[in-house]
Amino acid sequence: MKQKFDVIIIGAGAAGLMSAIEAGKRGRKVLLMDHSKKIGEKIRISGGGRCNFTNINTHPNKFISNNPKFIISALNQYTQNDFIKLIKKHNIKFHEKKLGQLFCDESAQQIIDMLLLECRMADVTLKKGVFVTGIEREDKQYYVAVGPDKYFCDSLIIATGGLSVPKIGASKFGYEVAKKFNLNIIEPFPALVPLTFSEKILFKCKELSGLSLEALISFNKTFFEEGMLFTHRGLSGPSILQISSYWKLGSDIKINLSPKQDVFKFLENKKKMNPKQDINILISEILPKRLAHMICKENGVNGNICELSNKLLKQLSSSINTWVISPTGSEGYRTAEVTLGGVDTDEISSKTMMSLKNPGLFFIGEVVDITGHLGGYNFQWAWSSGFVAGQYA
Ligand SMILES: Cc1cc2nc3c(=O)[nH]c(=O)nc-3n(C[C@H](O)[C@H](O)[C@H](O)COP(=O)(O)OP(=O)(O)OC[C@H]3O[C@@H](n4cnc5c(N)ncnc54)[C@H](O)[C@@H]3O)c2cc1C
């Protein structure tokens, strides 16, 4: 069987759905395909089931790429306010949780339903559970083979995402298509992912499992001050996830467990004002009790503060304000929220998302070398890049 469409999109995630809607609205005959039977699985599980769909502070400096300027055009063509307008049009109630992060009041499913409704309104043909067996270019057209069937199109959009969470459909398909058409790939890495540690640190993490606190975590000149969580497998929480996108294997990260407090100054003051106070109790004023006891024990300090030398107090303080640790790795794609790297932005027009070498071939969303910080930025990139491709495909 042979069939002709104006636009074929492979991957019906956030970016693919948005591009299908926009191309359909322009009157293009659109086919949207996905190998999964359930559409929008990543949207459904995102933001703890409430989908952090954008961030009101969206700005190019919230994204990582070999070419940080690449994203500017797409973010200008379709802003966070444009997506908010769409959400409001569909009467989806939302709220700002913190730091400009917008979440659905009810459920992420509302976003999926909205996108599917918009697809139907734009006459998009949706095929689920479809396994693409080949893509070829022929006489200025592309065709997508699905077994014996061939679907032809003028514009082919690759929106198959990155490698994170393979159990809900992630595949390396997009990178393979890019390689086939001679596009460079920036090596992919798991990002926004919990970090793992050697036995000594892991022991501490296990002992403290479930405990969370605000921490400032830095790698070189990049730092994030958000929640940090001890787990059975290592460290997690927003600040760890954020720094994981920057951290390089073999390097240290610095953790300030009490970013609002210079612990040595605090202890010096207490030593003068309240010399009989127990050090464990004092540190518990700054840190959760279990962590405070563990740090005191590790530093071999106990008893009244007046009995402790300033040298010992300095050592104790620096293990709180400057805890230097070397991750051994990350939990990998199994739990990573996103994939760093991808199709090199030097290969794509920032205005249209079309391959510079292959007219009619577009790449959008996470498959491209653009990775947002935690906080709704990754979806905004999916909406913006999807919108842009939808205007030109
Ligand atoms: C647990 C979790 C929570 C997250 N929470 C948030 C959040 O709250 N806010 C935020 O901004 N970002 C969040 N993200 C990141 C966000 O989900 C992604 O950045 C975004 O979904 C990327 O959109 P995409 O369309 O490029 O790719 P995807 O949404 O991954 O969609 C790709 C689609 O392509 C399909 N596909 C893959 N291979 C093939 C193939 N060979 N043939 C056909 N179809 C194929 C897949 O089935 C999928 O439907 C989260 C990610 C995870 C894993």
Side-chain angles (χ1 to χ4, degrees):
M1 193 254 304
K2 277 188 183 178
Q3 232 179 317
K4 170 75 178 30
F5 288 84
D6 296 323
V7 182
I8 295 180
I9 299 150
I10 306 181
L17 285 159
M18 182 55 103
S19 65
I21 294 163
E22 289 302 320
K25 284 202 302 207
R26 285 173 47 236
R28 305 286 275 158
K29 188 179 173 201
V30 179
L31 171 63
L32 174 61
M33 302 176 156
D34 203 292
H35 64 177
S36 292
K37 289 212 171 94
K38 275 177 108 182
I39 296 300
E41 274 300 87
K42 264 201 197 151
I43 300 175
R44 191 181 59 77
I45 63 166
S46 67
R50 294 239 166 106
C51 187
N52 178 194
F53 55 80
T54 192
N55 194 301
I56 51 180
N57 303 320
T58 297
H59 183 275
N61 68 11
K62 304 289 186 188
F63 297 84
I64 305 165
S65 169
N66 254 17
N67 175 5
K69 291 198 172 140
F70 178 85
I71 197 169
I72 295 172
S73 173
L75 289 184
N76 283 339
Q77 289 184 66
Y78 192 81
T79 69
Q80 61 274 37
N81 294 325
D82 292 318
F83 194 75
I84 294 168
K85 227 183 265 169
L86 181 64
I87 294 277
K88 285 185 175 165
K89 185 179 121 190
H90 286 262
N91 275 323
I92 297 174
K93 300 279 174 282
F94 62 92
H95 60 278
E96 180 186 343
K97 197 166 172 190
K98 58 175 180 176
L99 306 169
Q101 302 166 3
L102 301 187
F103 285 75
C104 298
D105 284 358
E106 287 168 30
S107 158
Q109 187 61 43
Q110 293 175 290
I111 303 279
I112 302 171
D113 294 344
M114 170 188 87
L115 294 167
L116 289 174
L117 175 60
E118 288 278 338
C119 277
R120 284 197 293 280
M121 283 164 26
D123 262 337
V124 171
T125 305
L126 174 61
K127 280 189 186 290
K128 304 185 255 186
V130 171
F131 290 90
V132 174
T133 47
I135 290 180
E136 296 295 337
R137 185 137 195 246
E138 202 178 88
D139 300 335
K140 291 191 177 165
Q141 289 193 345
Y142 292 87
Y143 76 77
V144 177
V146 179
D149 299 331
K150 282 183 181 171
Y151 299 92
F152 286 82
C153 61
D154 303 322
S155 297
L156 176 61
I157 302 181
I158 305 298
T160 45
L163 298 171
S164 58
V165 200
K167 78 167 187 234
I168 55 164
S171 80
K172 53 184 181 192
F173 182 86
Y175 308 126
E176 282 168 353
V177 175
K179 275 186 207 148
K180 181 180 167 71
F181 288 94
N182 293 319
L183 306 191
N184 187 43
I185 304 283
I186 306 294
E187 192 182 354
F189 278 100
L192 297 181
V193 62
L195 296 175
T196 55
F197 297 90
S198 63
E199 268 314 306
K200 194 174 156 215
I201 309 279
L202 188 60
F203 173 78
K204 185 167 175 171
C205 296
K206 281 181 180 165
E207 288 282 296
L208 297 168
S209 178
L211 187 148
S212 66
L213 74 167
E214 281 292 302
L216 188 148
I217 307 192
S218 51
F219 174 71
N220 294 338
K221 286 184 179 151
T222 307
F223 60 88
F224 294 94
E225 187 176 337
E226 287 183 60
M228 184 183 91
L229 176 69
F230 291 89
T231 78
H232 272 101
R233 293 194 291 266
L235 293 175
S236 188
S239 53
I240 287 285
L241 299 186
Q242 298 277 33
I243 214 71
S244 75
S245 302
Y246 289 87
W247 171 73
K248 301 272 179 294
L249 189 64
S251 314
D252 294 336
I253 56 171
K254 278 191 198 136
I255 303 183
N256 185 344
L257 295 166
S258 176
K260 305 266 183 288
Q261 186 91 258
D262 179 329
V263 177
F264 183 65
K265 272 195 187 144
F266 167 81
L267 292 176
E268 238 184 350
N269 195 34
K270 290 286 178 184
K271 199 172 175 181
K272 275 187 214 137
M273 311 298 288
N274 226 340
K276 289 264 151 62
Q277 234 185 330
D278 182 84
I279 188 70
N280 269 285
I281 293 175
L282 279 172
I283 298 297
S284 301
E285 284 181 24
I286 303 171
L287 299 178
K289 220 175 184 173
R290 275 199 290 158
L291 178 60
H293 287 329
M294 179 177 276
I295 289 181
C296 287
K297 198 169 154 200
E298 278 176 352
N299 283 280
V301 296
N302 56 44
N304 295 344
I305 188 164
C306 62
E307 289 155 13
L308 302 173
S309 68
N310 275 5
K311 191 176 164 208
L312 205 49
L313 293 183
K314 268 216 167 102
Q315 177 193 309
L316 175 67
S317 309
S318 94
S319 67
I320 297 170
N321 281 138
T322 324
W323 183 28
V324 182
I325 48 173
S326 188
T328 52
S330 79
E331 288 186 8
Y333 291 116
R334 188 180 58 82
T335 57
E337 283 200 11
V338 283
T339 306
L340 266 183
V343 179
D344 191 340
T345 52
D346 284 351
E347 302 278 13
I348 306 170
S349 154
S350 61
K351 192 177 156 216
T352 64
M353 300 295 137
M354 190 166 78
S355 160
L356 298 170
K357 286 180 194 150
N358 305 277
L361 180 62
F362 296 73
F363 290 85
I364 55 171
E366 205 179 308
V367 74
V368 180
D369 172 36
I370 298 279
T371 306
H373 288 181
L374 189 78
Y377 301 107
N378 284 296
F379 277 132
Q380 186 56 46
W381 162 240
W383 316 134
S384 295
S385 58
F387 173 89
V388 168
Q391 307 310 307
Y392 293 95

